[in-house]
Amino acid sequence: MHVQEWLETVPAVAVYALVGVVIGLESLGIPLPGEIILVSSALLASQHGDIDPVILGACATAGAIIGDSIGYAIGRKGGRPLLAWLGAKFPRHFGEGHIATAERSFQKWGMWAVFFGRFVALLRIFAGPLAGVLRMPYWKFLIANVLGGIVWAGGTTAVIYYVGIVAESWLKRFSWFGLVLAVLIGVTSMLVLKRKAKKATAAAATEPTPAPAPVGD
């Protein structure tokens, strides 16, 4: 069953809880489709008045911030052995190439990697645990974590909600054309992103991983 179709069968409070929990677990470091759940829920809110987009965005933001904070604590305590364990359990998401790519981003950008990592699927999973492993000062992590969570979760909810409202009225007039156009745009975007991700992973696998160093003071 499609995610949005399934969400339509559960009460609003369950949708709020699901969004918060899934995004929280994803931010903690567990590879889950947090963004898909959030986008589907925001679209559902634009079509059904039972779901309040403000509450939805607040739950998503809370899940993102809390999950990242727990991930940071786990990463700081577990250190690099944690990354090795995750690599063995989830090689598709925590392989050496992925870890090397994320680590270089942290070494280069510091707390900005936490902030902008919210908008990149790979870094969204790594941000919390890796910031802890690299011993980023918690105050820097907290600022980037809170701001990133608000902008990503709140912004995504707002944009998708209002796009859904506009698209619904537009598609009523151009239903088939709009559907075909939406599918083409979605497929094209997915292929482009996958191609870029593969290039980034391949480049990371061929470059030596830099010696670990604390991020910031």
Side-chain angles (χ1 to χ4, degrees):
M1 185 183 294
H2 190 276
V3 173
Q4 191 170 349
E5 292 176 350
W6 179 80
L7 289 172
E8 291 177 352
T9 65
V10 300
V13 66
V15 175
Y16 301 145
L18 179 67
V19 167
V21 170
V22 171
I23 290 178
L25 291 175
E26 182 190 37
S27 301
L28 190 152
I30 299 175
L32 291 175
E35 192 167 42
I36 293 176
I37 294 293
L38 179 58
V39 169
S40 298
S41 300
L43 279 175
L44 186 62
S46 70
Q47 300 165 8
H48 299 275
D50 293 339
I51 299 177
D52 189 327
V54 175
I55 298 177
L56 182 67
C59 291
T61 301
I65 294 172
I66 294 171
D68 241 17
S69 296
I70 296 174
Y72 175 90
I74 293 174
R76 194 171 182 91
K77 186 176 180 62
R80 290 191 171 276
L82 173 65
L83 295 181
W85 180 82
L86 289 172
K89 291 290 183 180
F90 307 101
R92 182 179 177 183
H93 300 277
F94 291 90
E96 292 183 3
H98 291 143
I99 292 176
T101 300
E103 190 169 355
R104 278 195 295 274
S105 298
F106 270 72
Q107 295 288 357
K108 183 176 182 180
W109 302 107
M111 63 188 295
W112 288 109
V114 177
F115 178 86
F116 288 111
R118 280 288 174 199
F119 302 88
V120 181
L122 174 65
L123 287 180
R124 189 161 57 247
I125 298 174
F126 278 116
L130 191 56
V133 170
L134 296 177
R135 303 284 174 173
M136 175 182 287
Y138 183 69
W139 69 269
K140 287 187 176 182
F141 170 80
L142 183 61
I143 292 173
N145 178 28
V146 171
L147 293 178
I150 292 173
V151 173
W152 174 72
T156 298
T157 302
V159 169
I160 297 300
Y161 175 76
Y162 287 112
V163 166
I165 291 177
V166 173
E168 186 176 13
S169 61
W170 185 75
L171 288 175
K172 286 179 180 177
R173 291 176 291 172
F174 306 99
S175 56
W176 284 109
F177 174 75
L179 178 61
V180 172
L181 181 61
V183 170
L184 288 176
I185 292 174
V187 171
T188 302
S189 301
M190 181 182 66
L191 292 176
V192 171
L193 290 174
K194 282 189 175 183
R195 185 176 180 183
K196 289 184 177 180
K198 285 182 180 180
K199 286 184 177 180
T201 302
T206 57
E207 295 180 15
T209 303
V215 179
D217 295 318

